[in-house]
């Protein structure tokens, strides 16, 4: 694995300058490729992927390709409005960043991913019954098996689980999980809670309590 080489995979040049800030801030070499021709590249320590025009199933395929190369981590650049539908494969070492982030944040996320083989801090791992949430890698496991959650399902579950025994209204959850700019209705929260409950199984689902007239609460 090339320790100072990053593969930047994109279908357009819109974030070329953003990616190349890593040359100045962190001393990485940035090599360009497209999501449709990854096999032509040489060794690299991290994949930086522009998710524009790349479907979730293609991201899954790329993640498996990275696994076959020794578990190379992936950082996905995603526009803020696409985050509700973004899916990071549960089995991969991956993270996401919005293109509005600073060069310092980009460097920090890259360095964290490249150093992911180090042990995680205890505060990065939350255990509830047979569920483990790794807050550093955005991954959830049930009985050591990865749970296939979308990014927003993960964000909602991890927020509730890290703020237990307190009821949050749907409006507050929209604000805290989806952000200031989200224009969808509160039914979005109900839909995501229902999907989370179906994916984590009855034992963990029992921790997610509906508070009538308010919203939801996670019982520890």
């Amino acid at each position: 694995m090339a320790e100072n080489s990053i593969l930047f995979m994109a279908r357009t040049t819109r974030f070329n300058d953003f990616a190349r800030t890593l040359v100045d801030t962190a001393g990485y070499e940035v090599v360009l490729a497209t999501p449709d021709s990854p096999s032509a590249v040489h060794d690299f320590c991290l994949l930086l992927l522009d998710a524009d025009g790349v479907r979730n199933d293609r991201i899954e395929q790329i993640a498996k390709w990275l696994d076959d190369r020794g578990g190379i981590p992936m950082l996905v650049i995603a526009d803020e409005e696409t985050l509700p539908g973004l899916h990071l494969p549960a089995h991969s070492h991956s993270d996401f960043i919005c293109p509005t982030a600073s060069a310092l944040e980009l460097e920090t996320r890259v360095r964290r991913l490249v150093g992911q083989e180090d042990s995680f801090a205890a505060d990065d791992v939350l255990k509830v019954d047979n569920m483990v949430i790794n807050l550093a890698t955005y991954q959830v496991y049930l009985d050591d098996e990865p749970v296939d959650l979308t990014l927003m399902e993960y964000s909602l579950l991890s927020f509730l689980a890290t703020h237990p025994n307190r009821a949050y209204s749907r409006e507050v959850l929209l604000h805290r999980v989806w952000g200031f700019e989200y224009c969808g209705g509160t039914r979005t929260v109900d839909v995501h809670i229902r999907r989370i409950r179906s994916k984590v199984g009855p034992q963990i689902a029992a921790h997610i309590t509906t508070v009538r007239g308010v919203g939801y609460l996670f019982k520890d």
Side-chain angles (χ1 to χ4, degrees):
M1 182 183 298
E3 294 183 356
N4 292 312
S5 182
I6 289 176
L7 179 64
F8 176 46
M9 195 177 282
R11 288 198 168 117
T12 71
T13 61
R14 64 179 190 147
F15 294 142
N16 279 12
D17 291 341
F18 184 56
R20 286 183 172 132
T21 61
L22 291 166
V23 176
D24 297 325
T25 62
Y28 287 106
E29 175 190 9
V30 177
V31 180
L32 304 180
T34 72
D36 306 304
S37 60
S39 59
V41 302
H42 299 293
D43 289 341
F44 54 96
C45 65
L46 178 136
L47 172 66
L48 184 63
L49 173 66
D50 178 3
D52 183 44
V54 182
R55 300 187 317 188
N56 282 325
D57 59 345
R58 182 56 182 150
I59 294 177
E60 179 78 31
Q61 292 172 354
I62 292 171
K64 290 180 179 177
W65 175 70
L66 293 173
D67 283 345
D68 292 340
R69 295 178 69 98
I72 297 173
M74 173 172 61
L75 180 61
V76 177
I77 306 175
D79 294 301
E80 189 172 347
E81 61 269 21
T82 69
L83 290 181
L86 177 65
H87 177 233
L88 297 182
H91 59 82
S92 67
H93 294 313
S94 57
D95 196 356
F96 75 95
I97 190 169
C98 292
T100 52
S102 66
L104 177 59
E105 181 178 347
L106 175 61
E107 178 192 357
T108 301
R109 289 181 183 267
V110 166
R111 289 191 184 279
R112 185 187 68 79
L113 280 169
V114 169
Q116 240 177 17
E117 59 270 19
D118 298 332
S119 297
F120 296 110
D123 290 346
D124 287 335
V125 177
L126 175 65
K127 296 182 179 180
V128 180
D129 294 345
N130 63 331
M131 178 180 71
V132 173
I133 301 177
N134 192 319
L135 301 171
T137 64
Y138 301 89
Q139 293 169 305
V140 177
Y141 297 87
L142 283 177
D143 297 320
D144 297 323
E145 292 294 325
V147 181
D148 189 21
L149 298 176
T150 67
L151 181 62
M152 283 304 165
E153 289 166 358
Y154 164 83
S155 298
L156 181 56
L157 174 61
S158 62
F159 176 79
L160 288 171
T162 54
H163 298 80
N165 304 319
R166 177 176 177 180
Y168 288 92
S169 69
R170 293 167 177 82
E171 290 80 7
V172 168
L173 290 172
L174 281 173
H175 170 75
R176 296 291 295 271
V177 176
W178 276 261
F180 289 99
E181 304 301 324
Y182 186 75
C183 298
T186 55
R187 176 171 166 74
T188 298
V189 177
D190 298 328
V191 171
H192 280 73
I193 289 289
R194 184 169 64 250
R195 290 173 179 169
I196 291 169
R197 283 171 169 161
S198 69
K199 291 181 179 182
V200 298
Q203 184 176 356
I204 299 302
H207 288 269
I208 305 172
T209 303
T210 302
V211 181
R212 188 181 299 274
V214 179
Y216 296 96
L217 173 151
F218 191 94
K219 297 185 298 183
D220 63 8

